[in-house]
Amino acid sequence: MNRGFFTILGAQFFSALADNALFFAALALLKEQQAPEWHLSMLLWAFTVSYVVIAPYAGAFADSMHKGRAMLICNGIKLVGCASMLLGMPAIFAYAIVGFGAAAYSPAKYGIITEYLPHEKLVEANGWLEGATVGAIILGTIIGGYLSGAQISNWLHSHTLGQYLSPAQFAIAGTIALYLLAAYINLSIPKLQVRLKPFHLDPVHQAREFAWCVKRLWRDPQGQLSLGVTTLFWGAGATMRLVVLNWAVIWLSLTMEQASQLIALVAVGIAAGAFLAGRLVKLERAFTVLWAGVAMGALVIIMLLVNQIWLAALLMLIIGALSGFFVVPLNAMLQHRGHQLMGAGHSIAVQNFNENLGILLMVGLHAWLVKNWSSPVPSDASALLLKQFGHSGMPPMYLIIIGFGLLVMLTMSLIIARYRAGLARGVLHD
């Protein structure tokens, strides 16, 4: 891996760092505004919906220009959304603008890796990429939680700045600097000598081309299995952030700031699992890691038996490690097959479409459960629970955690059965 690769990695890291810090700052803003609890799920839903809606255009946009330039444009869109939130636009709508920029950014950031490196380097590169992304999640979670937390709130109240900015607004302002830093690094990304494809604005043409790409990737035996796993992973991962936030408050009596640090431990585990996968799993052996997905689903259900912080921290690390270990090789396989079948940008757009459709479905289900199945907070509940859930009620944690874990286990078991059937027919190899 050379300097150019790490320049690409750095630009992606700081842009993702800002995205994640902004998510927790926006959560804090909704809490300050006493928004209903289900609005927290809708915040993530609004961010994700663009990945599905603009998927037919995102890949074509990325393939129509040098991908470093596409990344710079999309980072600017995210900066506009962040600034809009600071200037008073409702958090859900402003974060939707950020999501629009992120959706257009993704095919460029993954596509440039497949163009820059030979296929035998893709698993290692994905290990680096997922490690950097997870590092951004960890630091972004900590930064967003800290900047909108009690210490900064006390500091703001003792300074004149507190007259103009709430803790959440202060955290949102801080993310602007991160987006600017990402843009600065982006300017040094090497311009690759690749064949550019014309960008057609005709929606019928784009829809037909995208539909063909979706059909081709789903019909490819290796692409089908890889896409099924990564779709499940990202849908489950997005929902997991919301589940852990509420679980940490209800089961472990942690504050939101402390709960965000627990989510960071999941990300640490993912980074460790991604590193191990990059070192131990070759591209041609990508499907041998499917068992880790079933184990992850089983460990999610065990969350209901944990009420000690040290044990919860260990559980989050293990869940994260299993997640990173099984998703990195399959993500590399999916990128490799997609690049072979239809080009880097188009294949990543198809991947984003499916993965984020999974996120929309799972996060939307979570929001529906929280909105319709929450129960009143008991009168003798702690002050922490009253502060967190007094306006909207207690989420149905038993139903959410058990259902979530069983869904992951069942889906991964079906994918393993599909893989074994492919081996028996000779369309896949072990």
Side-chain angles (χ1 to χ4, degrees):
M1 300 300 174
N2 57 25
R3 182 177 178 180
F5 172 77
F6 288 109
T7 301
I8 296 168
L9 202 64
Q12 296 177 11
F13 172 79
F14 283 104
S15 189
L17 178 64
D19 292 348
N20 285 278
L22 184 60
F23 173 71
F24 285 93
L27 287 179
L29 183 63
L30 290 175
K31 287 292 181 183
E32 286 180 358
Q33 297 170 347
Q34 297 185 348
E37 188 70 20
W38 64 274
H39 277 201
L40 275 61
S41 299
M42 290 307 299
L43 184 72
L44 189 54
W45 196 92
F47 178 88
T48 305
V49 69
S50 290
Y51 281 89
V52 175
V53 174
I54 71 168
Y57 290 94
F61 172 76
D63 284 339
S64 69
M65 65 182 72
H66 293 288
K67 291 181 174 55
R69 182 186 176 197
M71 290 165 63
L72 185 63
I73 293 171
C74 297
N75 191 77
I77 296 173
K78 293 196 281 186
L79 179 60
V80 169
C82 180
S84 299
M85 191 182 302
L86 181 63
L87 294 174
M89 179 180 286
I92 291 177
F93 294 115
Y95 204 51
I97 295 175
V98 178
F100 180 87
Y105 187 96
S106 187
K109 80 170 184 178
Y110 282 106
I112 196 172
I113 297 298
T114 60
E115 292 176 349
Y116 191 73
L117 297 172
H119 75 273
E120 62 269 14
K121 289 280 190 179
L122 282 181
V123 174
E124 183 181 355
N126 268 270
W128 278 103
L129 185 58
E130 294 304 325
T133 301
V134 167
I137 293 172
I138 296 168
L139 287 178
T141 298
I142 294 172
I143 290 171
Y146 177 76
L147 290 180
S148 55
Q151 286 184 306
I152 294 297
S153 178
N154 294 335
W155 179 81
L156 286 173
H157 288 153
S158 64
H159 291 75
T160 54
L161 188 60
Q163 300 176 12
Y164 305 101
L165 295 175
S166 70
Q169 290 172 325
F170 181 80
I172 294 167
T175 62
I176 291 177
L178 296 175
Y179 282 123
L180 291 173
L181 180 58
Y184 175 75
I185 297 173
N186 208 115
L187 295 174
S188 301
I189 288 178
K191 185 177 289 187
L192 305 178
Q193 297 300 316
V194 296
R195 185 171 64 88
L196 303 180
K197 299 178 180 180
F199 180 62
H200 297 280
L201 290 175
D202 180 6
V204 176
H205 173 86
Q206 292 290 3
R208 286 176 177 172
E209 184 178 43
F210 184 72
W212 176 85
C213 291
V214 171
K215 187 183 299 184
R216 187 165 189 189
L217 197 55
W218 272 113
R219 286 182 174 177
D220 179 73
Q222 293 173 315
Q224 181 186 97
L225 289 175
S226 303
L227 194 53
V229 172
T230 56
T231 297
L232 174 67
F233 172 81
W234 289 110
T239 312
M240 189 75 177
R241 298 170 79 181
L242 301 169
V243 172
V244 171
L245 275 175
N246 288 335
W247 170 72
V249 174
I250 296 171
W251 250 252
L252 305 175
S253 300
L254 300 180
T255 64
M256 284 288 286
E257 185 177 353
Q258 293 168 328
S260 67
Q261 294 170 6
L262 199 61
I263 292 175
L265 285 176
V266 179
V268 171
I270 294 175
F275 176 80
L276 286 175
R279 293 288 181 178
L280 301 177
V281 183
K282 301 298 183 183
L283 185 64
E284 59 271 15
R285 301 278 295 170
F287 295 113
T288 61
V289 300
L290 292 172
W291 59 268
V294 181
M296 187 195 79
L299 288 178
V300 168
I301 298 176
I302 294 176
M303 288 168 59
L304 292 172
L305 305 177
V306 174
N307 53 22
Q308 298 180 49
I309 295 176
W310 72 268
L311 190 56
L314 179 61
L315 183 64
M316 294 299 103
L317 279 171
I318 296 173
I319 288 175
L322 289 171
S323 302
F325 189 75
F326 83 78
V327 78
V328 164
L330 293 166
N331 201 47
M333 173 61 75
L334 185 56
Q335 290 176 14
H336 173 58
R337 293 300 297 161
H339 184 52
Q340 288 183 325
L341 293 171
M342 65 197 66
H346 282 74
S347 70
I348 299 300
V350 172
Q351 184 177 350
N352 284 339
F353 173 79
N354 286 276
E355 291 173 359
N356 288 280
L357 188 60
I359 292 176
L360 290 180
L361 291 173
M362 295 186 73
V363 171
L365 177 60
H366 182 272
W368 182 83
L369 289 172
V370 170
K371 181 180 180 181
N372 295 286
W373 290 73
S374 291
S375 56
V377 179
S379 57
D380 59 347
S382 67
L384 181 64
L385 290 181
L386 287 171
K387 178 183 178 181
Q388 180 69 21
F389 303 111
H391 297 286
S392 54
M394 299 270 284
M397 295 306 297
Y398 280 100
L399 177 62
I400 289 173
I401 290 177
I402 293 174
F404 179 73
L406 289 176
L407 176 63
V408 172
M409 291 177 66
L410 177 62
T411 306
M412 287 302 302
S413 297
L414 291 173
I415 290 172
I416 290 173
R418 184 81 174 177
Y419 168 65
R420 290 175 177 170
L423 287 177
R425 296 197 309 270
V427 297
L428 293 168
H429 57 82
D430 196 349

